[in-house]
Amino acid sequence: MTRLWTHLERQSGSGGVGLRGPGERQLEIDRRLVRDRINALKKQIDAIQKQRSLHRKGRDNLGLPVVALVGYTNAGKSTLLNYLTKAGVMAENILFATLDPTTRRVKLPGLKTHPEVLLTDTVGFIQRLPTQLVAAFRATLEEVRNADVLIHVIDANNPAWDKQEAAVRDVLGEIGVKDKPIVKVLNKIDLLPNAEDLQIEAAFMDQTVAISSISGEGMQDFVACMEEALQSLLMPIEVIVPYSKGEEVSFFQSTFLFMCNVMLNHSIHFKLAQPYS
């Protein structure tokens, strides 16, 4: 702050006691400029919110599940998104490297429930977020709230990863999304000397997988966990359709996720699934 206000004259009034000097007038002008700048930024944030709301409506029209990558900063979320989509999203070891959520349509090999999903990268969480940055995080929190499945990416190479995991879960609880399906991804196993031990440990944990988003190791297990999480979004349906109702048979086969069918004497017993409304 040294010499920041050298453009101000230090006199309190040149025309007598109680009169305003140039310095006081300049302070008032500066305060007004700061207020105007704050108001302009608030309007920008509101406009961005409206734009993102339109984007979300467009994504809803696609009928694809939205999967959001969440995690502590520098956990490797953008690197995982790059591996899965080859999107070229900035992935650097910098605090808040991803302030804008980035969404890509991706087809994961091996997925059967929903072969295609919308994958969204979000800003890295931290502990005790400064209040000045809350507005900047608003877009990310909205993406997380509107996601169907969360992928919690954890830097398994960080000695404090358990504390970072707890910090992220606290934030998810605060915004009311901790009950969503969550796949826990222990990332960066390529940097661990005991990677196999961690993979075995993860195999015995619920909805947990150990991977490397650099080498791709463990991606088959990741897809299997994703499959299970996506299936939890579906509601089973059973219908019996007579053979004579050919149009209805075609409708059920094309509209719902086909699980299996049983051929009866005069009808077909379908076991289907659809997303919960």
Side-chain angles (χ1 to χ4, degrees), residues 15 24 59 68 73 80 118 131 157 180 190 213 227 241 265 273:
E24 287 183 283
R59 294 201 300 261
T73 187
L80 179 57
L118 295 176
T131 54
N157 188 51
K180 288 180 179 288
D190 52 297
S213 54
E227 183 78 38
V241 184
N265 289 334

Side-chain angles (χ1 to χ4, degrees), residues 178-236:
K178 66 178 181 179
D179 292 329
K180 288 180 179 288
I182 299 177
V183 176
K184 186 164 73 172
V185 174
L186 303 175
N187 192 25
K188 303 186 182 182
I189 63 172
D190 52 297
L191 302 178
L192 296 176
N194 58 338
E196 290 185 3
D197 293 342
L198 186 61
Q199 286 179 299
I200 294 173
E201 183 180 346
F204 287 95
M205 299 170 66
D206 186 42
Q207 287 292 87
T208 303
V209 60
I211 70 161
S212 166
S213 54
I214 296 292
S215 68
E217 185 177 1
M219 285 299 172
Q220 287 185 339
D221 294 333
F222 168 73
V223 172
C225 284
M226 280 290 299
E227 183 78 38
E228 186 176 342
L230 290 170
Q231 284 182 354
S232 70
L233 303 174
L234 300 176
M235 176 175 60

Side-chain angles (χ1 to χ4, degrees), residues 2-252:
T2 305
R3 304 186 65 80
L4 184 61
W5 303 101
T6 52
H7 65 293
L8 301 181
E9 293 187 32
R10 295 186 178 277
Q11 58 187 12
S12 61
S14 58
V17 177
L19 298 179
R20 295 181 179 180
E24 287 183 283
R25 289 197 297 272
Q26 185 62 51
L27 279 171
E28 291 179 356
I29 293 173
D30 288 343
R31 290 192 187 103
R32 179 173 55 80
L33 292 174
V34 170
R35 285 195 300 269
D36 291 345
R37 179 60 177 160
I38 291 173
N39 290 332
L41 289 173
K42 286 181 177 179
K43 289 180 180 179
Q44 273 187 301
I45 291 173
D46 290 339
I48 291 172
Q49 272 191 296
K50 292 178 182 178
Q51 184 181 28
R52 294 202 181 284
S53 178
L54 292 175
H55 288 170
R56 280 195 294 274
K57 289 180 181 178
R59 294 201 300 261
D60 291 342
N61 292 335
L62 292 175
L64 297 177
V66 178
V67 178
L69 294 161
V70 300
Y72 208 81
T73 187
N74 295 335
K77 297 180 299 300
S78 295
T79 307
L80 179 57
L81 180 68
N82 287 344
Y83 184 89
L84 295 173
T85 68
K86 309 302 181 185
V89 178
M90 177 175 58
E92 300 178 10
N93 191 34
I94 301 175
L95 197 65
F96 310 137
T98 312
L99 272 174
D100 267 341
T102 304
T103 301
R104 293 290 183 271
R105 185 170 180 166
V106 57
K107 188 172 184 178
L108 297 179
L111 272 187
K112 299 177 182 178
T113 305
H114 286 284
E116 283 189 311
V117 299
L118 295 176
L119 195 58
T120 297
D121 190 13
T122 62
V123 67
F125 296 2
I126 64 168
Q127 290 176 300
R128 295 181 293 275
L129 178 67
T131 54
Q132 298 91 334
L133 292 175
V134 170
F137 277 70
R138 190 183 301 170
T140 274
L141 298 181
E142 287 173 356
E143 296 295 334
V144 173
R145 287 193 189 100
N146 287 279
D148 298 300
V149 175
L150 304 180
I151 300 175
H152 184 179
V153 184
I154 300 167
D155 180 2
N157 188 51
N158 191 308
W161 70 264
D162 53 340
K163 294 182 180 179
Q164 294 180 350
E165 178 190 3
V168 172
R169 287 195 169 274
D170 287 344
V171 175
L172 296 179
E174 289 172 5
I175 63 177
V177 298
K178 66 178 181 179
D179 292 329
K180 288 180 179 288
I182 299 177
V183 176
K184 186 164 73 172
V185 174
L186 303 175
N187 192 25
K188 303 186 182 182
I189 63 172
D190 52 297
L191 302 178
L192 296 176
N194 58 338
E196 290 185 3
D197 293 342
L198 186 61
Q199 286 179 299
I200 294 173
E201 183 180 346
F204 287 95
M205 299 170 66
D206 186 42
Q207 287 292 87
T208 303
V209 60
I211 70 161
S212 166
S213 54
I214 296 292
S215 68
E217 185 177 1
M219 285 299 172
Q220 287 185 339
D221 294 333
F222 168 73
V223 172
C225 284
M226 280 290 299
E227 183 78 38
E228 186 176 342
L230 290 170
Q231 284 182 354
S232 70
L233 303 174
L234 300 176
M235 176 175 60
I237 296 176
E238 294 190 32
V239 292
I240 297 177
V241 184
Y243 289 134
S244 59
K245 302 291 185 179
E247 291 185 1
E248 293 184 14
V249 171
S250 299
F251 168 77
F252 284 111

